[in-house]
Amino acid sequence: MSEDGPRRAAPGEVSDETLRRVAMSRGEYERLCRLLDRDPSPVELGMAAALWSEHCGYKHSRPLFHHFPTEGPRVLTRAGEENAGAIDLGEGWVAVFKMESHNHPSAVEPYQGAATGVGGILRDIFAMGMRPVALLDSLRFGELDDARNRHLFQGVVAGVGGYGNCVGVPTVGGEVQFDPGYDGNPLVNVMCVGVGRREQLLSASARGVGNPLVLVGADTGRDGIHGATFASVELDEDAGAQRPAVQVGNPFMEKLLMEACVELAERHADWIEGLQDLGAAGLTSSSVEAAARAGTGVVIDVGRVPRRERGMSAYEVMLSESQERMLVIPKREHLDDVLALMRRWELRADVVGEVTADGRATVYADGGAEARIPVSVLTDPPLYPPEARRPAELDRLWAEDLAALPDLAASGAAAAGEWLLALLAAPNIASRAWIYRQYDHQVLNGTVVLPGGDAAVIRVPGMRAGIAVATDCNARFVALDPRTGAQMAVAEAARNVVATGAEPVALTDCLNFGNPERPEVAYQLEQSVIGLSEAARALGTPVVSGNASLYNETPRGGVPPTPTIGMLGLLADVERHLTIGPGPGDLLVLLGAPPAQEAATLAGSEYLARAHARLAGRPQLDLARERAVQRVVLDAHRRGLLTAAHDLSEGGLAVALAECLLAATGHSAPGAGFVPDPALDLGPRLDAALFGEAPSRLLVGVADAEALAAVLALAREADVTAVSLGEVVVEEEPRLRLGPLDVACDSLRDGYEKGLPRALGE
């Protein structure tokens, strides 16, 4: 084989079936030929198809990224240029975090799909030299009355827990939502947070011509080939045939990799120039993206890549997505040191190539060139600005007069209590204990606020400060108004962090949408990115990392638009955190809006979906008011005025109040009940007052009348509505009383704690 070019197919030889298999259009193939000024070889075609896929190249979403605010006083990285976003915590400490999806693999093989999603996001974090300290998930499934949805849900939860537990990283929080729109296409988003010293922050760059490329970890197999392209097309009725595109994980190997890479960063960062994980598109993406960051090239000899299967071609080796693999770029003089460190951790490490100056990705097999393609071509996918069209159905949804629906008050006094019990037992609201009891959320001994509240709080080793983390998105709001709904996702994630006493500082996102080639989906995507960006800018939480997962479609249609937000906040003193549980005798205050609400606040609510079987209305959000409410809570907490805080979200005021009481009492007796303020006015619309889901509201607890007066004064100064709701009381048989509500807390607990297991038939 000559050195002047790779082995390649004859002109016109590439079939439509070949292009379909690699998810490349004929137009994209012709563009590739023009950029190369020749036909690509089979290996070059596979490499380009993978890196030009939506999953790797973001060709439909990248044109929108300019909307994101990405800079801030604590931001240490440029969004999109590293594996995760880095935030300065102060005192020389750094937090890095990111969220990614593993949706299509989880639809085909829920356990391994979710497990390897966890493995991939962990590697993104320790590739930057940071020790992972927390995992969170954000999950979406169809209704649990369907056997397949139950299978997917149970398998995904087991996969998240199984992998995280074995690696030894706590899964500390998350969220789940059930909706028929996710039938057949669940969403599995996983967020990871890592911490470390600023000086150990690594880059994924292939710097230094002549430096070796060292492949570390598991042997390479055929699992995951075309995984990136599989994640960039719709799921069809034959999705089960794509099982070979789903990777198989080994968390014990991941643990060794993690410890070796963290040690490398903590003690020997001067030995290496770069560190990169092998995720989507495997060795292709890791080597090419590392070269692109450094402005260099790479040469790889696939004959040096250790394999666990015989007869693998260069194509298969370069595109395999076998898990638990890292690419290390050591300085030449420290190659032996790096190899020795990896051997000490019982990891295989092989030199498979080196950094070059020619700006090309060259692949050799059996002495011949299988690919020689400019890095700039591989990292320059075609971009498709959204051709958006506003869905006509939005006019119908917005026009529906929710005030014309019969009010709950017309059903009699007992109806309010019955609906509160029904909502607390509903899968979208019921306790998530069934999920998080499968997760080890206390390993590493750094979790200060455990799952079950608004956000988790993690201790940072060596600091008095801590971090608070939460994931959020209510897809119903986004479906009703993509721009406002995305704003509300950011606002709710920030409120959940604020409810712990932490100040939100930055966010990551995962944009889950259907086929962006459909104008209505393009509209949802475009407007959601704009809304997300507006809220991030208003709340001072720049977007430092993220992921886009498009083509979440089945033959029945696309998933509800779900731009999931992962929010990170900083707590000045980790010991001075808040939880959602007030103490006996505490007074509760509603901040942000009065209890009395109009019917419009039922838009997108769980009550509207269950009581009236509809999705309708138009959600509203005032970002200036949102910011003001959050500032009042943070100011009150800094002054030591608060005993508890809880965001109002699904289920509205009555559900939030019930959750506070259940968190306050635990399983002890006597328990905590609630007596409302005699002057409390729920207004003329009972269902909206109790179950409306107006945003920008928090319940806060104070210990006495003096603290109550101080909080009310702070709210007045900030022009924030604040209403005293009543008192938490100790009772032998505690009850929740609010307007016509008068329900035994034991009944609330039974529905809330057993709702999810009952929905699963347990």
Side-chain angles (χ1 to χ4, degrees):
M1 180 68 215
S2 67
E3 288 294 310
D4 59 354
R7 302 181 177 101
R8 55 184 182 269
E13 187 175 316
V14 175
S15 67
D16 290 342
E17 173 58 25
T18 296
L19 295 179
R20 187 199 66 78
R21 191 171 63 250
V22 299
M24 178 179 274
S25 70
R26 178 64 63 178
E28 290 171 344
Y29 176 75
E30 292 171 353
R31 177 181 187 266
L32 177 61
C33 292
R34 288 194 301 272
L35 290 173
L36 295 176
D37 196 26
R38 58 176 172 81
D39 290 339
S41 72
V43 174
E44 289 172 336
L45 175 61
M47 294 170 69
L51 292 185
W52 285 11
S53 69
E54 180 63 39
H55 191 73
C56 292
Y58 301 127
K59 55 192 176 185
H60 289 91
S61 50
R62 190 186 295 184
L64 299 171
F65 290 172
H66 67 92
H67 290 290
F68 292 140
T70 58
E71 298 180 349
R74 293 186 179 274
V75 180
L76 299 175
T77 49
R78 293 178 62 87
E81 293 189 3
E82 296 292 349
N83 284 294
I87 294 296
D88 185 359
L89 298 177
E91 301 178 32
W93 288 91
V94 171
V96 299
F97 64 108
K98 186 183 182 183
M99 182 186 297
E100 285 202 343
S101 62
H102 231 219
N103 301 337
H104 282 23
S106 300
V108 174
E109 174 44 59
Y111 185 95
Q112 291 296 346
T116 51
V118 172
I121 196 66
L122 285 168
R123 290 193 299 278
D124 278 338
I125 300 306
F126 63 76
M128 295 189 68
M130 301 291 110
R131 175 172 292 282
V133 296
L135 289 162
L136 298 91
D137 55 20
S138 178
L139 311 176
R140 299 291 186 277
F141 302 92
E143 298 280 9
L144 291 176
D145 56 3
D146 177 82
R148 171 140 183 87
N149 290 333
R150 292 195 299 274
H151 165 72
L152 292 172
F153 174 53
Q154 291 167 323
V156 164
V157 170
V160 171
Y163 203 97
N165 294 353
C166 291
V167 173
V169 177
T171 304
V172 299
E175 53 148 8
V176 63
Q177 191 174 34
F178 302 92
D179 186 277
Y182 300 108
D183 282 346
N185 197 141
L187 302 184
V188 179
N189 296 176
V190 185
M191 175 179 172
C192 186
V193 183
V195 299
R197 299 293 298 174
R198 185 165 181 172
E199 59 268 21
Q200 72 188 60
L201 190 62
L202 300 178
S203 174
S205 297
R207 293 189 298 264
V209 173
N211 282 332
L213 304 180
V214 179
L215 185 59
V216 179
D219 290 350
T220 298
R222 288 190 171 93
D223 50 329
I225 295 172
H226 293 149
T229 52
F230 172 50
S232 305
V233 295
E234 299 176 8
L235 290 173
D236 57 27
E237 298 293 354
D238 295 325
Q242 294 292 336
R243 283 183 183 273
V246 180
Q247 309 93 326
V248 177
N250 180 349
F252 302 104
M253 175 74 76
E254 182 97 347
K255 172 67 172 175
L256 298 176
L257 263 183
M258 180 176 72
E259 295 300 337
C261 291
V262 171
E263 179 182 335
L264 196 57
E266 288 180 344
R267 301 183 185 180
H268 309 294
D270 59 329
W271 288 359
I272 64 173
E273 290 287 1
L275 183 64
Q276 171 75 356
D277 82 295
L278 273 71
L283 190 53
T284 291
S285 64
S286 61
S287 59
V288 169
E289 291 172 2
R293 293 185 183 102
T296 58
V298 290
V299 58
I300 293 172
D301 182 351
V302 297
R304 298 182 179 184
V305 175
R307 312 172 195 186
R308 65 170 182 262
E309 297 184 49
R310 293 182 177 180
M312 290 185 68
S313 66
Y315 184 101
E316 292 172 318
V317 172
M318 290 302 297
L319 292 174
S320 167
E321 294 182 11
S322 294
Q323 294 292 284
E324 293 84 41
R325 298 182 299 162
M326 299 290 288
L327 188 69
V328 185
I329 301 99
K331 298 174 182 176
R332 280 172 290 180
E333 62 271 26
H334 288 293
L335 172 60
D336 290 341
D337 296 321
V338 169
L339 295 178
L341 185 150
M342 296 302 166
R343 283 196 296 270
R344 183 160 52 79
W345 281 102
E346 300 181 1
L347 292 167
R348 179 159 185 172
D350 297 87
V351 177
V352 298
E354 68 177 40
V355 179
T356 64
D358 63 3
R360 295 177 179 271
T362 302
V363 178
Y364 286 102
D366 300 323
E370 296 284 347
R372 185 177 286 116
I373 184 168
V375 167
S376 59
V377 169
L378 292 172
T379 56
D380 182 28
L383 299 181
Y384 302 100
E387 297 180 5
R389 182 173 63 238
R390 185 170 165 275
E393 68 170 350
L394 289 185
D395 289 330
R396 177 185 61 80
L397 296 174
W398 294 351
E400 185 158 352
D401 183 10
L402 300 183
L405 296 173
D407 184 17
L408 180 61
S411 301
E418 293 168 359
W419 270 111
L420 175 57
L421 292 171
L423 289 174
L424 284 171
N428 280 336
I429 292 176
S431 168
R432 273 57 182 126
W434 184 91
I435 300 173
Y436 62 71
R437 283 175 182 163
Q438 299 184 52
Y439 302 159
D440 188 339
H441 41 266
Q442 290 178 296
V443 65
L444 300 181
N445 199 32
T447 311
V448 178
V449 174
L450 305 180
D454 286 338
V457 175
I458 308 298
R459 183 179 289 106
V460 179
M463 291 186 72
R464 187 177 184 182
I467 54 177
V469 283
T471 57
D472 273 296
C473 180
N474 189 325
R476 286 176 179 161
F477 294 147
V478 187
L480 288 172
D481 188 330
R483 187 167 177 173
T484 300
Q487 291 176 353
M488 294 172 77
V490 175
E492 183 179 352
R495 276 198 310 278
N496 282 335
V497 165
V498 165
T500 68
E503 180 164 6
V505 295
L507 66 86
T508 183
D509 62 40
C510 194
L511 305 174
N512 304 275
F513 291 85
N515 185 342
E517 298 168 44
R518 293 199 292 117
E520 293 80 7
V521 174
Y523 175 87
Q524 293 174 333
L525 174 63
E526 179 182 54
Q527 292 300 303
S528 291
V529 168
I530 292 172
L532 189 164
S533 302
E534 290 169 336
R537 195 171 286 109
L539 300 179
T541 54
V543 181
V544 298
S545 61
N547 173 246
S549 175
L550 309 184
Y551 296 94
N552 288 290
E553 302 236 359
T554 68
R556 285 168 287 186
V559 299
T562 314
T564 306
I565 304 300
M567 185 68 68
L568 183 142
L570 184 59
L571 196 65
D573 184 347
V574 73
E575 300 302 331
R576 291 193 62 247
H577 59 269
L578 296 170
T579 67
I580 71 171
D586 280 0
L587 306 173
L588 297 186
V589 180
L590 177 62
L591 290 173
Q597 292 289 313
E598 297 179 355
T601 63
L602 293 172
S605 67
E606 184 73 12
Y607 174 79
L608 186 66
R610 293 194 168 271
H612 299 286
R614 68 188 70 194
L615 176 70
R618 187 174 187 181
Q620 303 290 328
L621 176 67
D622 182 334
L623 286 170
R625 185 180 73 167
E626 178 71 45
R627 182 173 176 83
V629 171
Q630 293 184 21
R631 299 317 305 179
V632 168
V633 174
L634 292 174
D635 288 347
H637 176 60
R638 274 192 286 267
R639 300 183 190 201
L641 299 174
L642 304 184
T643 59
H646 187 24
D647 165 49
L648 271 68
S649 55
E650 289 88 351
L653 174 60
V655 165
L657 181 56
E659 290 171 339
C660 285
L661 295 181
L662 296 179
T665 59
H667 290 278
S668 61
F674 182 75
V675 176
D677 190 308
L680 190 64
D681 178 17
L682 295 182
R685 186 86 200 192
L686 184 61
D687 50 6
L690 295 180
F691 307 125
E693 296 181 13
S696 310
R697 297 186 296 168
L698 288 105
L699 275 176
V700 297
V702 296
D704 51 39
E706 183 179 352
L708 172 63
V711 169
L712 295 178
L714 279 176
R716 281 194 301 272
E717 292 171 10
D719 196 25
V720 167
T721 300
V723 177
S724 174
L725 285 183
E727 182 180 1
V728 177
V729 295
V730 175
E731 300 177 302
E732 285 292 338
E733 297 181 359
R735 304 185 71 81
L736 187 160
R737 308 165 185 86
L738 185 68
L741 280 178
D742 189 349
V743 185
C745 290
D746 283 348
S747 298
L748 300 178
R749 184 182 306 284
D750 180 77
Y752 185 66
E753 293 186 350
K754 297 178 182 177
L756 202 48
R758 284 171 177 158
L760 291 168
E762 297 182 3

